[in-house]
Amino acid sequence: MNTNKILERFPLFSGLEDREIAEIEAISISKKYHRGALIFSEDEEARGFYVVIAGRVKVYKLSSEGKEQILHIISSGQTFAEAALFAGSSYPAFAESLTETRVLYFPKERFLNLIRKNPQISLNMIASLSHWLRKFVSLVEELSLKDVSTRLSKYLIDLSAQSGRTSERGIECELDISKSQLASQLGTISETLSRTLRKLRDRGIIEVEGKRIIILQRETLEEISSGIPL
Amino acid sequence: MNTNKILERFPLFSGLEDREIAEIEAISISKKYHRGALIFSEDEEARGFYVVIAGRVKVYKLSSEGKEQILHIISSGQTFAEAALFAGSSYPAFAESLTETRVLYFPKERFLNLIRKNPQISLNMIASLSHWLRKFVSLVEELSLKDVSTRLSKYLIDLSAQSGRTSERGIECELDISKSQLASQLGTISETLSRTLRKLRDRGIIEVEGKRIIILQRETLEEISSGIPL
DNA sequence: CGCCACATTGAAGGCAGTCAAAGGTGGTGG
DNA sequence: CCACCACCTTTGACTGCCTTCAATGTGGCG
């Protein structure tokens, strides 16, 4: 299967020669997972990392009582578990496919050989790790310093910015995950998320119909996301 | 001032030729900060990154109400704000010296030129970023999924493992930061930390005398740190 | 049609934060 | 050397956000 044309569009492999892309593809292994499949477990030995070609993957932690905290949802074109190759010898979290998913898998040793020969990949890797780092700094900030309505408002604003459509009623957008998964991403549980959505709805700030959200008062939502209490 | 011999002992510069070390030193700027000095602010343009030569620096976030979350305390030999050079254009947090501190400052552009010529630095940088990433994953996990007594117990166990001395009464160790700073690192406030320490003391698990902590029941402390309720 | 996972709502309880005040500690300068 | 001051720490009472537990509602799909 020809993935050349796909690979060069991924940030990790941008700026590479065709020959280098070919080398990279040569060491990769294509894998498919059905919805809900476990890709790897926490503490499992990290033998490689992944690039999502199609579908979505959640990377998450579980508490001893079973509560889930989603660290990130990885979409097509993004990599995950890169850091596990360079620090520690095992995966620090679980990874599970949310949809039918196709990934490229890069076995650790072969990839490390490659990266040593291709400084450009190193630089791309640094950029990728730096972005992850920023994301986690922001997640820590939110979990430690912000309440649920603030986190939810920020999520909705970000969502509307990247996939919202302006209509006569407001900015319409659609959740691309279930509400319980959203709760788990925001560091809370579905009951609390449900109640928080309801509060926003009761105040006329948003409208909710299943996965469809309409933002009626963008200003107010932004105030809440910046810390003004609901 | 000759810092050659120091630089080569730092993880970021390990495995480099003397000539390369000299180049690196040539672009660095030595700076001193007194206790409590602000090194940079959140959202300030990131013009470079830092290596701590002597002293300690805290990197932290502030909430809109002024609550502090310490992301990391950086000691001699460690780097900080590397990621700011590669993702986003501003620092994502505040940095403040906790003691009289000496750092080396590396201006962004000059360092980027260097790294492009020295693949080994890239690899070291990847290792450094990966470690940060692991640390933040673990911080997210703790803030979202663990209670304060669990976080504190884990902190004490880690502290005892790296600086504890076994005596006839138990494992003795000393906090190297104030309790309010510890609270801020654990994602809580000093009052709550104080109460949690007291609970551990009342149950005979530890003894507390100012900054000196004696672990009397290591087993119990490990149980708590692994999620068994206090 | 009936199942099952997801979602919503209510009631109750707990962990941790807030507010307030007192006690302790170390550092500095007189 | 001591006294003072600023800061840190501890404790108590109270509040509130969020979770837990439980029950009901709902929508998609075989």
Side-chain angles (χ1 to χ4, degrees):
Chain A
M1 170 178 347
N2 185 354
T3 48
N4 285 351
K5 294 296 174 275
I6 299 171
L7 279 188
E8 68 187 1
R9 287 206 308 270
F10 293 171
L12 190 60
F13 304 121
S14 72
L16 294 177
E17 312 280 331
D18 287 354
R19 183 186 49 75
E20 293 168 318
I21 296 268
E23 272 189 278
I24 290 166
E25 205 214 334
I27 68 162
S28 75
I29 298 166
S30 178
K31 297 192 181 195
K32 282 189 105 163
Y33 296 94
H34 56 79
R35 178 186 156 90
L38 189 64
I39 299 176
F40 55 71
S41 288
E42 185 173 8
D43 293 337
E44 186 183 311
E45 189 189 343
R47 298 176 188 276
F49 82 99
Y50 300 81
V51 178
V52 176
I53 304 294
R56 285 216 309 282
V57 171
K58 72 170 171 184
V59 175
Y60 62 101
K61 282 275 188 182
L62 287 178
S63 77
S64 48
E65 299 89 21
K67 188 185 168 192
E68 175 186 281
Q69 170 69 51
I70 294 181
L71 297 175
H72 194 59
I73 292 185
I74 292 107
S75 304
S76 170
Q78 299 185 294
T79 53
F80 64 101
E82 319 93 289
L85 303 192
F86 302 98
S89 56
S90 55
Y91 297 115
F94 297 90
E96 184 184 312
S97 52
L98 288 173
T99 61
E100 190 82 7
T101 297
R102 198 158 77 80
V103 303
L104 286 185
Y105 172 75
F106 293 87
K108 178 169 175 170
E109 285 313 324
R110 284 194 260 170
F111 186 75
L112 290 182
N113 286 333
L114 215 59
I115 206 180
R116 280 190 272 263
K117 287 188 301 181
N118 288 275
Q120 183 60 44
I121 306 182
S122 296
L123 294 177
N124 292 346
M125 179 72 78
I126 288 172
S128 167
L129 291 171
S130 298
H131 277 105
W132 274 94
L133 217 39
R134 244 177 207 260
K135 185 185 153 52
F136 283 126
V137 164
S138 146
L139 188 52
V140 166
E141 174 186 18
E142 294 187 359
L143 291 172
S144 174
L145 304 174
K146 314 268 178 80
D147 58 26
V148 173
S149 57
T150 303
R151 286 177 248 161
L152 173 59
S153 300
K154 180 170 179 302
Y155 183 90
L156 292 177
I157 286 172
D158 291 350
L159 179 69
S160 74
Q162 71 177 65
S163 74
R165 311 187 131 278
T166 308
S167 75
E168 70 280 2
R169 304 167 67 196
I171 308 167
E172 296 192 22
C173 42
E174 189 135 353
L175 298 177
D176 55 359
I177 49 176
S178 73
K179 286 177 186 168
S180 48
Q181 294 291 286
L182 174 54
S184 172
Q185 235 191 310
L186 296 177
T188 184
I189 56 175
S190 55
E191 292 97 319
T192 300
L193 173 63
S194 184
R195 279 185 255 265
T196 310
L197 279 170
R198 184 155 227 303
K199 260 188 283 182
L200 292 173
R201 219 185 58 186
D202 288 349
R203 282 169 173 66
I205 299 165
I206 61 172
E207 253 175 50
V208 185
E209 297 166 40
K211 285 184 183 300
R212 169 160 245 87
I213 309 263
I214 306 176
I215 297 173
L216 305 173
Q217 303 177 28
R218 196 208 155 89
E219 298 292 314
T220 314
L221 204 58
E222 267 170 359
E223 282 174 12
I224 298 168
S225 82
S226 72
I228 292 167
L230 181 58
Chain B
M1 167 178 351
N2 185 353
T3 47
N4 285 350
K5 294 296 176 274
I6 298 172
L7 280 188
E8 68 187 0
R9 287 206 309 271
F10 292 172
L12 190 60
F13 304 120
S14 71
L16 294 176
E17 310 281 330
D18 286 355
R19 184 186 48 74
E20 294 168 320
I21 296 267
E23 272 189 278
I24 291 167
E25 206 213 334
I27 68 162
S28 74
I29 298 165
S30 178
K31 296 191 181 195
K32 283 190 106 165
Y33 297 94
H34 56 79
R35 177 186 158 92
L38 189 64
I39 299 175
F40 56 72
S41 287
E42 186 173 7
D43 294 333
E44 185 182 313
E45 189 189 345
R47 299 177 188 275
F49 82 100
Y50 299 81
V51 178
V52 176
I53 304 293
R56 284 216 309 282
V57 172
K58 72 171 171 185
V59 175
Y60 62 100
K61 282 273 188 181
L62 286 178
S63 77
S64 48
E65 297 88 23
K67 189 188 166 191
E68 175 186 281
Q69 170 68 51
I70 295 182
L71 297 174
H72 194 59
I73 292 185
I74 291 107
S75 305
S76 171
Q78 298 185 296
T79 54
F80 65 102
E82 318 94 289
L85 302 194
F86 302 98
S89 56
S90 55
Y91 297 114
F94 298 89
E96 183 183 313
S97 52
L98 289 173
T99 60
E100 190 81 8
T101 297
R102 198 158 76 82
V103 302
L104 287 184
Y105 173 74
F106 294 87
K108 178 169 176 169
E109 285 313 323
R110 284 194 259 169
F111 185 75
L112 290 181
N113 286 334
L114 214 60
I115 205 178
R116 280 191 271 265
K117 289 188 300 181
N118 289 274
Q120 182 60 44
I121 305 182
S122 296
L123 294 177
N124 292 345
M125 179 72 79
I126 289 172
S128 166
L129 291 171
S130 298
H131 277 104
W132 275 93
L133 216 39
R134 245 180 204 260
K135 183 185 154 53
F136 283 127
V137 164
S138 148
L139 187 52
V140 167
E141 175 187 16
E142 295 186 359
L143 291 172
S144 173
L145 304 174
K146 314 269 178 81
D147 58 26
V148 172
S149 57
T150 303
R151 286 177 248 161
L152 173 58
S153 300
K154 178 171 181 302
Y155 183 91
L156 292 177
I157 286 172
D158 290 351
L159 180 69
S160 73
Q162 71 177 64
S163 75
R165 312 187 131 278
T166 308
S167 75
E168 70 281 0
R169 303 167 68 195
I171 309 168
E172 295 192 24
C173 42
E174 191 135 351
L175 299 177
D176 54 0
I177 49 177
S178 74
K179 286 177 185 167
S180 47
Q181 293 292 286
L182 174 55
S184 173
Q185 234 190 310
L186 295 176
T188 185
I189 54 175
S190 55
E191 292 96 320
T192 300
L193 175 63
S194 184
R195 282 185 254 266
T196 309
L197 280 169
R198 184 154 227 301
K199 261 190 281 183
L200 292 173
R201 220 185 59 186
D202 288 349
R203 284 171 173 64
I205 298 166
I206 62 172
E207 253 174 50
V208 184
E209 293 167 42
K211 285 183 184 299
R212 169 162 245 86
I213 309 262
I214 307 176
I215 297 173
L216 304 172
Q217 303 177 29
R218 198 209 153 90
E219 298 292 313
T220 313
L221 204 58
E222 267 170 358
E223 282 173 11
I224 298 168
S225 82
S226 72
I228 292 168
L230 181 59

